[in-house]
Amino acid sequence: MVSADTSFDGIAGAFESEIYGSSKGYIRLRVLWEDMLGAIPGLTAGGLDVLDAGGGAGHLAIRLAGLGHRVVLCDASREMLDRAQAAARAQGVAGAMTIVQAPIQDLRGLLDRRFDLVVCHAVLEWLADPGAAIPELAALLRPAGTLSLMFYNRNASVLKRALTGAIAEALHSYRDGFAPRGWGAGATPLAEESVRGWLEACGLIVQSKAGIRIFHDHVPAAARQPERLDELLALELALRGAEPFASLGQHIHLVCTPRPVRTVAG
């Protein structure tokens, strides 16, 4: 586990280009968005109070604001938030977004409110103590709210390394977690059972699960070319919730709601 949370100040532009300017970013965003639309009640109707915790350059926040939701976008990186503000202005949704520079650990003290929807995507794996973030997110939910949580999946880390011949690294990733090279230098893949345990301890119930980017990283390069991306996307969308495929996605997307409070009749 890394000793400190990862900051993207100084590398935001390169990171954005690598992730969202590529076929993997296209597949990730499209599959995640379709899964959110299908799994989160009221998302298409607008009018929700939404917190995008660790939302970076605002790709999801801007989409949510475009649907008519009131969005608070937070991130620890000023550089990422500057990019989000510029993009929001360019797309005419800046008035529906509030920008807060803060890590997840500080949000409860800064935001004197709760939300209908809390979004936290591809953030836990960059934190020194990912389990500690879940109570913070849960505390920001309204009683009938929804948490949309996506995290880097340990199973995908193991499979990818094995398929490239890095057998010892694959075993290390499975046993101990493993910080891969490249953009994952500060990321720790997480076991789904660990994340589910943290959610359960906070009184959150998983309502749906999807694998995000299951096949993209394993198909030949020719299948990732622009002329074939729609074909690949159709496969990713069709099998995102089907096991064993869902458990092999690069990321796992869990949609959760608070456990109903039981009342005792007097």
Side-chain angles (χ1 to χ4, degrees):
M1 189 71 67
V2 292
S3 59
D5 298 347
T6 299
S7 170
F8 290 96
D9 281 332
I11 60 171
F15 183 83
E16 282 287 288
S17 177
E18 171 72 13
I19 298 299
Y20 290 103
S22 65
S23 60
K24 65 183 179 183
Y26 171 80
I27 292 291
R28 169 172 140 173
L29 192 58
R30 284 290 305 273
V31 176
L32 174 60
W33 184 245
E34 291 299 319
D35 199 60
M36 290 176 67
L37 290 175
I40 299 175
L43 195 62
T44 58
L48 299 179
D49 290 317
V50 180
L51 170 65
D52 190 351
H59 294 274
L60 259 295
I62 288 169
R63 287 192 177 213
L64 291 163
L67 287 179
H69 301 296
R70 299 171 294 273
V71 182
V72 175
L73 169 64
C74 88
D75 200 273
S77 168
R78 183 70 256 172
E79 191 174 339
M80 283 289 194
L81 292 176
D82 288 344
R83 289 177 168 271
Q85 284 183 310
R89 286 194 296 268
Q91 298 190 38
V93 297
M97 291 175 55
T98 301
I99 303 295
V100 177
Q101 184 182 5
I104 289 173
Q105 300 92 321
D106 294 347
L107 289 179
R108 213 186 326 184
L110 291 172
L111 302 175
D112 187 22
R113 57 189 291 201
R114 293 191 177 193
F115 296 85
D116 302 303
L117 172 63
V118 173
V119 175
C120 185
H121 294 160
V123 177
L124 292 187
E125 57 264 30
W126 300 100
L127 302 180
D129 187 358
I134 302 299
E136 300 301 318
L137 297 171
L140 291 162
L141 275 177
R142 287 176 176 156
T146 301
L147 170 65
S148 175
L149 183 70
M150 185 178 78
F151 58 91
Y152 177 20
N153 176 23
R154 187 179 68 177
N155 289 348
S157 174
V158 173
L159 180 61
K160 185 179 292 186
R161 277 148 190 79
L163 291 178
T164 60
I167 306 302
E169 289 184 1
L171 186 58
H172 182 190
S173 182
Y174 178 75
R175 285 178 173 171
D176 308 313
F178 185 69
R181 291 178 290 273
W183 288 119
T188 300
L190 302 173
E192 181 185 348
E193 55 267 29
S194 296
V195 177
R196 283 181 177 265
W198 300 333
L199 293 166
E200 183 178 357
C202 291
L204 294 169
I205 300 171
V206 175
Q207 302 293 350
S208 71
K209 168 187 172 180
I212 308 297
R213 215 172 86 216
I214 300 166
F215 302 101
H216 172 278
D217 295 12
H218 309 303
V219 301
R224 302 194 297 269
Q225 296 307 304
E227 63 272 16
R228 296 195 63 188
L229 268 186
D230 285 345
E231 182 182 358
L232 180 56
L233 176 62
L235 176 65
E236 297 271 5
L237 287 171
L239 297 183
R240 70 183 188 274
E243 296 291 4
F245 308 109
S247 292
L248 296 174
Q250 177 74 6
H251 289 83
I252 287 178
H253 179 222
L254 302 177
V255 174
C256 316
T257 56
R259 184 181 295 114
V261 177
R262 294 182 180 179
T263 58
V264 179

